[in-house]
């Protein structure tokens, strides 16, 4: 009976934590980061606000955990990269092409991720600093283990190309969500427009590997 009680307690804890995380996402989408207050999160979650401190150690811990569930590049863990390295025989060309295309679709379909990006460039916060540091740490692992062995002395130039591409794809999705869908005459919200951008992503990656 004690074992069942313990298991039930764990399940209740996980359900409550998920309710808090879902509440953060709901508020972020509907009211923006200014609406992320302890009382409002607890009310939306339907869970006593004291549990935020019990489960997450406070608001910063809750936001930290929420961010980790949403960011695309944080999900590209070192374990995943380690599994890919032995199969990489093209200098990482196929890998980065797939990552950029997946990022483009992920951010477009995830309004919470869009809000997090806007938040990260609008406000200085410890949790957001951790997000940026984690992104850079994961990115550095990918660069060092996949791209630098291939590009060698030109690896810094490759990093510059990727910086433009990653940030550009982020911006296109956020722009199309907030200020209208037409950018450079392409409808970023239309299937045809997005397909053209995807072909451009593949073209740019291929040209980088061909000419860098």
């Amino acid at each position: 009976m004690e074992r069942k009680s313990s298991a039930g307690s764990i399940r209740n804890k996980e359900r409550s934590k998920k309710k808090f995380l879902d509440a953060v996402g709901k508020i972020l989408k509907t009211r923006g980061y200014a609406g992320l207050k302890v009382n409002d999160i607890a009310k939306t979650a339907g869970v006593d606000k004291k549990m935020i401190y019990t489960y997450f150690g406070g608001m910063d811990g809750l936001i930290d955990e929420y961010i980790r569930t949403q960011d695309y590049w944080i999900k590209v863990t070192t374990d995943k990269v380690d599994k890919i390295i032995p199969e990489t025989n093209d200098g990482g060309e196929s890998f980065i092409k797939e990552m950029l295309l997946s990022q483009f679709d992920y951010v477009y379909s995830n309004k919470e991720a869009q809000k997090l990006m806007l938040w990260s460039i609008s406000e200085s916060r410890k949790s957001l600093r951790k997000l940026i540091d984690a992104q850079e740490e994961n990115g550095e692992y990918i660069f060092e283990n996949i791209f630098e062995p291939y590009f060698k002395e030109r690896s810094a130039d490759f990093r510059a190309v990727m910086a433009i591409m990653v940030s550009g794809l982020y911006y296109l999705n956020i722009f199309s969500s907030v200020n209208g869908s037409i950018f450079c005459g392409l409808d970023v919200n239309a299937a045809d427009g997005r397909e053209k951008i995807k072909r451009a992503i593949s073209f740019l990656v291929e040209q980088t590997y061909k000419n860098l």
Side-chain angles (χ1 to χ4, degrees):
M1 292 298 292
E2 288 183 8
R3 187 175 300 173
K4 289 183 179 179
S5 177
S6 176
S9 177
I10 292 172
R11 285 196 295 271
N12 287 335
K13 176 181 178 180
E14 292 307 312
R15 279 196 293 268
S16 295
K17 287 180 69 175
K18 186 177 187 304
K19 286 180 180 179
F20 280 127
L21 294 169
D22 290 345
V24 171
K26 183 176 181 179
I27 292 172
L28 195 60
K29 283 192 293 185
T30 56
R31 285 184 270 167
Y33 44 83
L36 293 175
K37 310 295 184 184
V38 170
N39 288 337
D40 291 338
I41 292 171
K43 182 178 179 181
T44 302
V47 182
D48 191 323
K49 67 180 180 181
K50 293 178 182 178
M51 294 298 101
I52 292 178
Y53 300 91
T54 301
Y55 296 150
F56 303 98
M59 274 290 290
D60 283 340
L62 170 58
I63 299 301
D64 283 350
E65 188 157 337
Y66 171 77
I67 286 172
R68 286 195 295 272
T69 68
Q70 297 300 316
D71 183 70
Y72 176 78
W73 288 102
I74 285 181
K75 294 180 179 181
V76 185
T77 63
T78 56
D79 288 343
K80 290 182 181 178
V81 174
D82 288 341
K83 291 177 182 178
I84 292 167
I85 291 173
E87 302 172 2
T88 302
N89 54 16
D90 60 356
E93 180 177 350
S94 299
F95 169 75
I96 194 58
K97 189 184 294 184
E98 180 184 347
M99 290 298 99
L100 291 171
L101 291 169
S102 297
Q103 174 211 326
F104 187 53
D105 285 336
Y106 176 81
V107 176
Y108 179 73
S109 62
N110 192 324
K111 302 303 179 185
E112 295 170 53
Q114 294 174 19
K115 292 291 186 180
L116 277 177
M117 288 176 212
L118 287 171
W119 192 11
S120 70
I121 61 175
S122 302
E123 181 180 321
S124 177
R125 187 184 177 95
K126 188 183 297 184
S127 298
L128 297 171
R129 183 69 255 174
K130 287 182 180 179
L131 164 65
I132 294 167
D133 290 343
Q135 288 173 331
E136 283 299 306
E137 184 178 341
N138 281 15
E140 191 61 29
Y141 192 84
I142 294 170
F143 278 118
E144 289 181 353
N145 288 278
I146 295 180
F147 304 125
E148 286 191 356
Y150 180 82
F151 286 102
K152 297 182 174 63
E153 70 275 4
R154 302 305 302 274
S155 60
D157 297 316
F158 178 76
R159 286 171 181 258
V161 173
M162 289 301 105
I164 293 170
M165 292 189 69
V166 170
S167 60
L169 295 177
Y170 278 152
Y171 181 80
L172 274 176
N173 278 320
I174 294 173
F175 180 89
S176 66
S177 175
V178 176
N179 284 320
S181 60
I182 306 301
F183 197 94
C184 290
L186 295 176
D187 188 344
V188 185
N189 287 333
D192 181 62
R194 294 187 67 78
E195 184 58 34
K196 285 183 171 63
I197 293 170
K198 288 182 179 182
R199 288 202 297 269
I201 292 170
S202 296
F203 172 79
L204 291 171
V205 171
E206 290 163 6
Q207 290 302 305
T208 299
Y209 272 81
K210 181 179 179 181
N211 297 303
L212 192 60

